[in-house]
Amino acid sequence: KDPIWQSSFKRVFSSFGHPSDFALYIIIVFFPFISFVHCDGRCNKRRGFLYLFIVALALFGLFLAKSRGAILGLVIGISFYSLLSGIFLKKKWAFYVAAILPVITVLMIILLNIFSGASLIKNNYFLRRAIFQGEELRSIETRLAIWKGGLEMIEDKLFFGRGLETFPLAFSKYAGPKIKELESTNSLPDKAHNSFIETAANTGLVGLMFYLFAIFSVFKLALGVVGRAVRAKKIEIIGILSSFVAFLTANMFGFSTTVHLVITAFLLANLSFLLSGKSATKIIRVGRLGKVFAISMVAIFVVLNITFQNIFYLWADNYALKGLKALKEDKANEVVKNLSYANLLQPNQSYYNYLLA
């Protein structure tokens, strides 16, 4: 029996449109919480355990989302976090983590592909995601075909591209036969699934150079400050930079949505605040009653958000899964009943409306 949190295609995505979007969100916020554990775990055990619990939930969510790009981003992000911890926090063990973790990941992928016929691997969808066969191979082949078309787009308008957000408009001309074989010709990809290729296709090499220069400037400025910062501040900066590394790595195989860019902007603002020496401060006095009111409002918002944007989605998707199973069994009444419940719980989810129609 499929668990309630599992979507009809064996990957969860919460209130996001796709599991990869959900997984990208997780790895962006993962490293700031790692830095909180690293920093507060020593001086505040209760808070440290709370942050550790949040980190564990994030890893569980990533496991359920099963996004290979995000998992790779997580591995590279952890290695980067460990490397900076070794350099700036003088932790020798961190150098070993930074060096060994990517090697272990590569070896695991090789072993899973060698023993791909084993029942343990065949019956575990998470492990099958690392196998370069069938549907998993098709996903990789599709990306390679998209990148090939993207590079041809760049070649045609090498220096200045076609303008911002023009990739989905222009790509149909460069969608070769391989993409049309792998994907529906009525729904060609509207993203390059690689932020660097898409940036160059939209804005040319000039735009790509500005993009790379902006990334380089952020890291150069931050690494210049972290060496002389106090320990707590070092850990915060390392956490934010690791989030950026994980984000950029995952985006070499996917793309961002608005929510990812908003959270990244918040992290960038926090990094700017840390690099400024925390000089942009202002004490806001609201009184005891105002503090209780503010905390209550945040708590209500969080509870309602979890209820409507997470619990209801899981509940609705479970009904959708029952509806699809009933469809295979030609039980028309059960199909309509379950998909109607799914649509009732999440009326704005177009997928449920499509199935019901």
Side-chain angles (χ1 to χ4, degrees):
K1 180 177 172 63
D2 294 315
I4 190 172
W5 61 74
Q6 182 169 281
S7 71
S8 53
F9 60 116
K10 302 186 184 300
R11 297 170 64 192
V12 303
F13 48 85
S14 183
S15 56
F16 291 80
H18 192 275
S20 296
D21 299 337
F22 178 44
L24 182 58
Y25 163 76
I26 289 174
I27 64 170
I28 293 172
V29 300
F30 179 83
F31 290 97
F33 278 104
I34 284 289
S35 66
F36 294 157
V37 173
H38 198 170
C39 184
D40 285 342
R42 292 169 171 246
C43 55
N44 189 324
K45 296 293 184 183
R46 184 182 301 174
R47 188 183 297 172
F49 281 123
L50 175 62
Y51 290 144
L52 195 60
F53 176 69
I54 293 172
V55 167
L57 282 180
L59 290 174
F60 183 59
L62 192 61
F63 167 76
L64 295 177
K66 301 178 179 69
S67 170
R68 291 171 295 187
I71 292 172
L72 179 60
L74 181 72
V75 169
I76 300 301
I78 291 174
S79 296
F80 185 78
Y81 187 99
S82 301
L83 178 62
L84 294 190
S85 296
I87 295 172
F88 296 110
L89 301 176
K90 311 301 181 185
K91 302 290 185 182
K92 291 185 178 179
W93 58 265
F95 289 112
Y96 295 109
V97 174
I100 293 173
L101 184 59
V103 174
I104 291 176
T105 303
V106 171
L107 288 176
M108 286 181 62
I109 293 173
I110 292 173
L111 289 174
L112 286 171
N113 278 274
I114 291 175
F115 298 103
S116 60
S119 59
L120 174 64
I121 298 173
K122 289 171 65 176
N123 297 328
N124 188 304
Y125 186 68
F126 180 79
L127 296 179
R128 290 208 313 273
R129 291 286 289 164
I131 306 301
F132 303 140
Q133 297 174 7
E135 174 63 21
E136 316 312 328
L137 180 61
R138 186 196 68 80
S139 176
I140 295 172
E141 289 177 331
T142 299
R143 279 168 170 76
L144 292 174
I146 294 171
W147 295 344
K148 181 176 181 295
L151 292 173
E152 291 174 359
M153 285 180 64
I154 296 169
E155 187 178 359
D156 275 0
K157 300 284 184 179
L158 188 61
F159 293 105
F160 299 103
R162 291 168 173 77
L164 295 172
E165 299 298 328
T166 55
F167 184 91
L169 302 175
F171 183 69
S172 58
K173 177 183 175 182
Y174 302 91
K178 187 67 174 178
I179 294 178
K180 295 174 182 178
E181 175 189 331
L182 296 167
E183 298 284 325
S184 168
T185 54
N186 296 322
S187 58
L188 290 174
D190 60 354
K191 296 287 184 180
H193 290 268
N194 183 299
S195 61
F196 300 102
I197 290 177
E198 186 161 341
T199 299
N202 287 334
T203 61
L205 293 184
V206 173
L208 179 63
M209 291 303 295
F210 273 104
Y211 181 54
L212 294 174
F213 177 75
I215 295 171
F216 173 78
S217 299
V218 169
F219 278 82
K220 183 176 184 298
L221 184 61
L223 293 174
V225 171
V226 70
R228 56 181 184 272
V230 298
R231 183 180 183 278
K233 187 175 173 181
K234 285 180 180 179
I235 294 173
E236 282 190 77
I237 294 173
I238 290 172
I240 293 173
L241 291 180
S242 300
S243 279
F244 291 160
V245 168
F247 171 73
L248 291 169
T249 302
N251 266 356
M252 292 179 68
F253 308 94
F255 55 87
S256 307
T257 63
T258 302
V259 67
H260 303 127
L261 298 177
V262 169
I263 295 172
T264 304
F266 277 129
L267 289 177
L268 189 59
N270 188 31
L271 180 63
S272 301
F273 173 64
L274 292 170
L275 299 183
S276 72
K278 296 188 176 182
S279 59
T281 59
K282 181 176 179 61
I283 299 175
I284 301 175
R285 303 185 189 280
V286 295
R288 183 178 178 82
L289 184 61
K291 184 177 180 181
V292 171
F293 176 77
I295 292 174
S296 300
M297 289 297 100
V298 171
I300 291 172
F301 173 79
V302 170
V303 170
L304 291 177
N305 187 62
I306 291 173
T307 301
F308 289 104
Q309 299 295 332
N310 291 275
I311 295 175
F312 274 29
Y313 261 91
L314 297 177
W315 197 2
D317 205 60
N318 188 53
Y319 276 121
L321 184 58
K322 289 179 180 178
L324 290 175
K325 287 182 177 178
L327 183 63
K328 293 179 181 178
E329 297 170 0
D330 292 327
K331 298 178 180 178
N333 291 335
E334 288 295 312
V335 172
V336 173
K337 183 181 77 172
N338 283 291
L339 292 179
S340 295
Y341 282 144
N343 188 61
L344 177 65
L345 289 165
Q346 286 299 327
N348 294 323
Q349 175 57 272
S350 59
Y351 181 60
Y352 302 146
N353 289 316
Y354 169 76
L355 290 174
L356 186 58

